[in-house]
């Protein structure tokens, strides 16, 4: 899509990432905290794709000119999605286990790791 | 109707999609009910998929819809409804200094990254990617040639994740 500068995408990504950080800090529900982590990962994905479209001719010194630098950004997004899927599966499993143990999932009350 | 010079139709489309995405992201953090937060996140992911389409990354836009809004958010909603939290007393957000500190921290983070990273990139206007770089053919060819090794590692990671989550969530093995 012509006419939209790179900075617009980057600003939106920065906003989404900051909202995710704030959500992780201020919320007490671990499921919502997980959602905020997903939000941060998606903000980074958006940034990757924006750079993949706008700056693909940058070369890395010592390497072959990355004619497919536009591809590396997309590959990174695919792997971020894969890692996010695994992370959500394991994280929600942990939340289920803690809920079964304590019947409560308030993140401020969790002190099992304190010893 | 006289639009200002800088407001091209494409920019207006981007502002609409991006604005909805930003509002939905705010809703995830602000709303008290976890189900509402999850639905806001679904809207946000859909809008991000449309933004991927505007970036000519069609394959990843479709993947975003299928993987994130299709699989991950269903998992979230499933767990929320399985735990049946409802408006639990202890999880209602109270006003505490953490909220102010967190908001200030987020603003500071955004200001810092904005000042340091965004400033040199203000002038970049022209996309330089080759035609069709986001098509399924291009992505698939790249994934199965240059990125085959990370692809296999990712499959192992996903399998470990499946086994681990079953181990964690099962009562008796």
């Amino acid at each position: 899509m012509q006419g939209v500068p790179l900075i617009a995408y980057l600003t939106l990504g920065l906003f989404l990432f900051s909202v995710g950080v704030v959500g992780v800090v201020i919320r007490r529900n671990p499921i919502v905290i997980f959602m905020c982590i997903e939000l941060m990962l998606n903000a980074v994905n958006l940034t990757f794709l924006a750079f993949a479209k706008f700056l693909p001719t940058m070369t890395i010194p010592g390497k072959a000119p990355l004619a497919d630098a536009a591809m590396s950004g997309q590959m990174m997004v695919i792997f971020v999605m894969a890692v996010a899927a695994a992370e959500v599966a394991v994280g929600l499993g942990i939340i289920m286990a803690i809920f079964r143990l304590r019947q409560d999932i308030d993140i401020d009350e969790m002190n099992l790791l304190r010893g | 109707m006289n639009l200002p010079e800088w407001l091209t139709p494409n920019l207006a489309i981007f502002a609409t999609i991006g604005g909805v995405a930003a509002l939905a992201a705010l809703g995830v953090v602000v709303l008290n009910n976890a189900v509402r937060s999850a639905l806001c996140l679904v809207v946000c992911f859909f809008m991000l998929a449309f933004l991927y389409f505007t970036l000519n990354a069609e394959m990843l836009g479709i993947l975003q819809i299928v993987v994130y809004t299709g699989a991950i958010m269903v998992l979230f909603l499933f767990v929320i409804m399985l735990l049946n939290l409802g408006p639990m007393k202890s999880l209602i957000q109270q006003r505490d200094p953490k909220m102010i500190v967190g908001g200030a921290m987020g603003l500071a983070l955004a200001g810092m990254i904005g000042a340091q990273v965004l400033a040199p990139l203000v002038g970049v206007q022209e996309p330089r990617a080759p035609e069709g770089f986001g098509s399924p053919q291009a992505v698939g060819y790249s994934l199965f040639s240059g990125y085959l090794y990370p692809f296999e590692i990712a499959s192992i990671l996903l399998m470990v994740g499946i086994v681990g989550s079953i181990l964690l969530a099962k009562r008796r093995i």
Side-chain angles (χ1 to χ4, degrees):
Chain A
M1 198 158 78
Q2 299 289 323
V4 182
L6 173 64
I7 195 79
Y9 289 101
L10 294 187
T11 311
L12 182 64
L14 175 60
F15 178 78
L16 294 182
F17 190 86
S18 306
V19 169
V21 171
V22 172
V24 168
V25 173
I26 71 173
R27 293 304 301 256
R28 300 169 70 203
N29 187 337
I31 297 177
V32 178
I33 289 178
F34 257 105
M35 289 185 212
C36 291
I37 293 174
E38 295 301 313
L39 198 60
M40 287 153 74
L41 288 173
N42 269 277
V44 173
N45 282 353
L46 179 67
T47 311
F48 266 125
L49 285 181
F51 275 124
K53 175 156 187 198
F54 281 90
L55 298 174
T57 52
M58 290 177 83
T59 53
I60 299 173
K63 299 253 180 178
L66 283 176
D68 59 348
M71 300 315 298
S72 5
Q74 296 188 75
M75 293 299 118
M76 194 60 82
V77 171
I78 287 180
F79 293 126
V80 167
M81 281 183 184
V83 172
E87 171 233 330
V88 165
V90 174
L92 291 178
I94 291 175
I95 291 176
M96 293 285 297
I98 291 178
F99 182 76
R100 210 153 45 238
L101 196 65
R102 310 179 49 127
Q103 302 298 315
D104 186 19
I105 56 167
D106 190 342
I107 200 96
D108 289 347
E109 304 294 324
M110 285 183 195
N111 48 13
L112 284 176
L113 288 180
R114 200 176 279 165
Chain B
M1 197 169 76
N2 285 324
L3 290 172
E5 181 75 20
W6 50 270
L7 187 63
T8 59
N10 281 344
L11 199 59
I13 292 173
F14 171 83
T16 312
I17 299 176
V20 173
L23 276 182
L26 275 180
V28 174
V29 175
V30 171
L31 293 177
N32 251 329
N33 192 327
V35 176
R36 286 184 193 157
S37 286
L39 292 178
C40 273
L41 199 58
V42 170
V43 173
C44 184
F45 285 168
F46 253 107
M47 291 302 138
L48 280 175
F50 290 132
L51 284 181
Y52 294 175
F53 290 143
T54 70
L55 283 168
N56 297 113
E58 297 92 1
M59 179 67 189
L60 284 170
I62 292 168
L63 266 187
Q64 167 89 3
I65 293 178
V66 170
V67 173
Y68 268 111
T69 60
I72 292 183
M73 291 318 295
V74 167
L75 193 59
F76 267 114
L77 286 169
F78 177 72
V79 169
I80 292 171
M81 293 176 178
L82 191 67
L83 296 186
N84 195 17
L85 290 174
M88 193 185 276
K89 194 81 178 162
S90 70
L91 284 181
I92 301 290
Q93 297 275 325
Q94 294 135 353
R95 291 195 179 283
D96 56 1
K98 204 169 67 172
M99 299 184 81
I100 301 163
V101 174
M105 218 185 71
L107 271 182
L109 180 76
M112 194 176 70
I113 298 179
Q116 295 298 320
V117 179
L118 296 190
L121 296 166
V122 166
V124 181
Q125 188 73 258
E126 281 304 306
R128 288 195 280 175
E131 190 74 21
F133 77 102
S135 65
Q137 290 96 330
V139 172
Y141 182 79
S142 188
L143 192 61
F144 289 107
S145 57
Y147 292 86
L148 187 59
Y149 184 59
F151 176 77
E152 297 293 343
I153 299 287
S155 69
I156 293 175
L157 173 80
L158 283 173
M159 202 182 67
V160 172
I162 293 169
V163 175
S165 58
I166 290 174
L167 264 180
L168 281 169
K170 211 165 158 50
R171 276 169 215 275
R172 282 182 297 114
I173 306 297

